[in-house]
Amino acid sequence: MSNPKHDKGEHYLTTPKAEPFLERVIFNNRAIILVAFFLLTLFLGYNAVKIQPDASFERMIPLEHPYIVNMLEKRDDLQNLGNFVRIAVEVEEGDIFTKEYMETLKQITDEVFYLNGVDRSGLQTLWTSNVRWVEVTEQGFQGGTVIPDSYDGSDASLEQLRQNVLRSNEVGRLVADNFKSTIVYAPLYEKNPETGEPLDYGEFSRQLEEKIREKYEAQNPNVEIHIVGFAKKVGDLIEGIGSIAWFAGITIILTTLLLFWYSRSITGTLVPVFTSIIAVFLQLGTLRLLGYGLDPYSVLVPFLVFAIGISHGVQIVNAIAVEAAKGFDPVTAARLAFRALYIPGMLALISDAFGFLTLFFIEIDVIRDLAVAAGIGVAFVILTNLVLHVLIMSYIGISKGGIRHVQNHGEKQDRKWRVMSYFAHPGVAPISLLIAVIGLGLGLYYKQNLKVGDLDRGAPELRADSRYNTDNAFIIDNYSTSADVLVVMVETPVEQCTQYEVLRAMDALQWELENTPGVQSSASLADVSKIVTKALNEGNWKWYEISRNQTIINASIRSAPSGLINTDCSLTPVLVFLEDHKAETLQTVVDRVEEFASNNNTEDHTFLLAAGNAGVEAATNEVISNAKDMMLLMVYGVVSLLCLATFRSVRAVLCIVVPLGLTSILCEAIMAVSGIGIKVATLPVIALGVGIGVDYGIYIYSKLEKYLLEGKTLQEAYFETLRSTGKAVMFTGVTLGLGVVTWIFSPIKFQADMGFLLFFMFLWNMVGAIWLLPALARFLLRPDQMLAKARAAK
């Protein structure tokens, strides 16, 4: 005998009006589509396993910002002020003036000299010929290399070395103030000048560890080595990426266990996990074919793609299990589930994709790469979850344990959903809205303290106790020249950079900056001229001034250090050493320079911002500050337009979007309270949280609207919504939250921050969809009008 439910289902499915064209295409060609997926997965999976970590200095900075444009245009004239590493060689007992220490320093200098990527002409240590001492005697100027040619390690030559160091200007710069360490300063090429290949930061960092730190600390137990610089920081981040594999494994195992607990079905557990992993492989393979790698920021995107896949996979498993519990065979149950979910599922995923793609308008390449990676990933989730997942389930179906679980727990779960349906009750809804308004007020109050940029010294991408940050703290504490340098470029006509008016203006800028909070010291050609002029006049401090006599000026800067003047004397920098690179420090100093430049720029000289790592940070902060509100506006605009196009109701859009807006505000408040600034690493979280969070509201509202159009009251319709979709939404929110909360144990600080923020946004967006959406629906929706319109449309 035929099952009447099967007959009814088959008749229902073959009704032309009820059967969408897309459904016919997919289910009438199941075998062909599965073979196509198999071949595509083999091809892109082969490419996925070959994808490499990728990091570039230029991809992490806003190349279109005026500061960066100025810096790159003048890059050839700004020697040793771009990408570099500083290696501090510390002696634990005694001081640097020993034969053993100097021999170790010489060997390290030679080792660094031959590292791939080092600009050898700019290398500076006590052993290089470009580090010199100068003094004024009765016979005039005398000078030479700090380590004399006659050095032989004897006590006499070591004493000569000590005198040369004291006579040089290197104490506090290349030599520690306490004479217990010295610096090996190595400027780097962004690209190999011979091959044109970009610098491999991961390999370069490994060479620093193996060939410098490990080798020489083992060779000389009295030596400890500290290494800082952009290349080392990125190298440590790439090294930290290795730990992400552990978190990926933990996330997959945890998700699988929770999914089995939820579905009690082997197939309902393994298939969504399998298809979500397939989506990740398809994404990574496509990125490699397009020429992308995985930088330290976009490496987290595969996590999100997997999370999105599980989120929508749970909805499909839930829908198929409900249909299978009614007695439908696997094919019919899969078709009915597809028919019920493909519109809200595609809307949610397209909203995700467009939400991520809004990040592309931020003028920083690593964020653009993240946007592309996330967009491609979501596109594949549409295919793997709405096509591959459904087709696999149409062959194997929900296991008997999953069907029994649905059948046996219906009444027990109904009591829970009945209680929760009171969120839509006319007496409860106003209380919910009042709580939401209070939460909104608190969020707006606390988010006022949200800062753009870094809030701590050192590398905020890494933990405070990381090796890099402890090395950075050592150099800050032992050297008077900060690692945070803002470079103001002074541009003049050719051969005019040493004119009195130019040097006088530079000196005036330095005076203002050295009386600005956050500035440690400054240096420029004006300082050199004043020091030498004083020295030429028997060291009399009355002569510590810029001479009006151009001949004296020319004589005073004849031996100016390299980097303070370019070859045709059309550019000279003012170096501003900052106490830190916190957002407030940078903004204060930049504002002071811009104000000075607006009042002092003339035809003879122009003050341009900015180079140096602090200049790059200032430009990045400005781009992020300007982009934040625009990005949120675009994310919410796209989501709202897609919801409006689907549900044809402004009231529906408000029900879905308002809980998201509350979550965004509360997230920014939590960032302010937790001391997390808005920067390259955290800005995408806001868009990602909104993009993924909108899924909950779309699934809840689509079901709620369906039951309202059947003539049910709002509370009854919400009860049915919770029974069918609400449990899947709640499970998804909790599962995704638990999946990303493991990131807080990552050695990479920004991954820990992202995990913490996404955990909050996943959970709170789920709470908003379950709790606040029905309360808003109580005041915004008019079920009788909706029903009348639906009948009129028919």
Side-chain angles (χ1 to χ4, degrees), residues 87 89 102-116 118 120 123-129 147 184-186 207 211-212 215-216 219:
I87 304 170
V89 185
M102 295 308 299
E103 180 60 28
T104 299
L105 180 64
K106 182 177 185 297
Q107 293 174 7
I108 291 174
T109 300
D110 293 341
E111 197 85 58
V112 173
F113 183 85
Y114 288 106
L115 289 179
N116 289 329
V118 171
R120 294 162 186 166
L123 182 67
Q124 291 184 336
T125 81
L126 292 183
W127 279 99
T128 56
S129 59
I147 296 183
V184 177
Y185 179 91
Q207 288 185 357
K211 294 185 177 182
I212 307 299
K215 178 179 178 179
Y216 290 99
Q219 180 177 305

Side-chain angles (χ1 to χ4, degrees), residues 656-722:
I656 295 170
V657 170
V658 168
L660 294 177
L662 177 60
T663 301
S664 292
I665 291 170
L666 291 176
C667 179
E668 292 188 11
I670 285 177
M671 290 174 68
V673 172
S674 303
I676 301 173
I678 296 182
K679 47 197 174 186
V680 173
T682 55
L683 178 64
V685 172
I686 302 172
L688 296 173
V690 173
I692 296 175
V694 71
D695 300 353
Y696 306 137
I698 288 172
Y699 279 118
I700 292 289
Y701 185 84
S702 62
K703 280 291 185 180
L704 181 65
E705 183 185 59
K706 172 181 178 293
Y707 291 120
L708 288 174
L709 293 177
E710 291 177 359
K712 291 181 170 60
T713 63
L714 179 61
Q715 188 170 343
E716 189 63 27
Y718 190 55
F719 168 69
E720 295 294 339
T721 298
L722 290 172

Side-chain angles (χ1 to χ4, degrees), residues 96-97 126 133 146-147 159-171 175-176 179 182:
I96 63 173
F97 301 111
L126 292 183
W133 62 270
V146 170
I147 296 183
E159 182 58 32
Q160 182 64 47
L161 171 61
R162 183 190 297 271
Q163 294 302 318
N164 290 350
V165 167
L166 292 172
R167 289 182 292 186
S168 73
N169 290 321
E170 303 302 337
V171 177
V175 179
F179 300 108
T182 65

Side-chain angles (χ1 to χ4, degrees), residues 406-417 719 723:
V406 172
Q407 293 171 337
N408 296 339
H409 289 75
E411 186 177 338
K412 181 180 178 181
Q413 289 181 344
D414 282 355
R415 291 196 294 271
K416 176 175 62 179
W417 306 133
F719 168 69
R723 290 182 65 198

Side-chain angles (χ1 to χ4, degrees), residues 454-477:
D454 297 331
L455 305 184
D456 302 299
R457 74 178 190 175
E461 298 90 346
L462 300 167
R463 293 190 179 275
D465 59 353
S466 68
R467 182 177 56 198
Y468 182 90
N469 279 331
T470 54
D471 286 351
N472 187 71
F474 172 84
I475 290 178
I476 290 174
D477 294 340

Side-chain angles (χ1 to χ4, degrees), residues 74-93:
K74 313 298 182 186
R75 177 162 47 186
D76 293 338
D77 295 324
L78 297 171
Q79 298 180 25
N80 305 341
L81 295 176
N83 193 0
F84 58 85
V85 292
R86 298 168 79 190
I87 304 170
V89 185
E90 177 194 11
V91 59
E92 295 185 353
E93 295 183 7

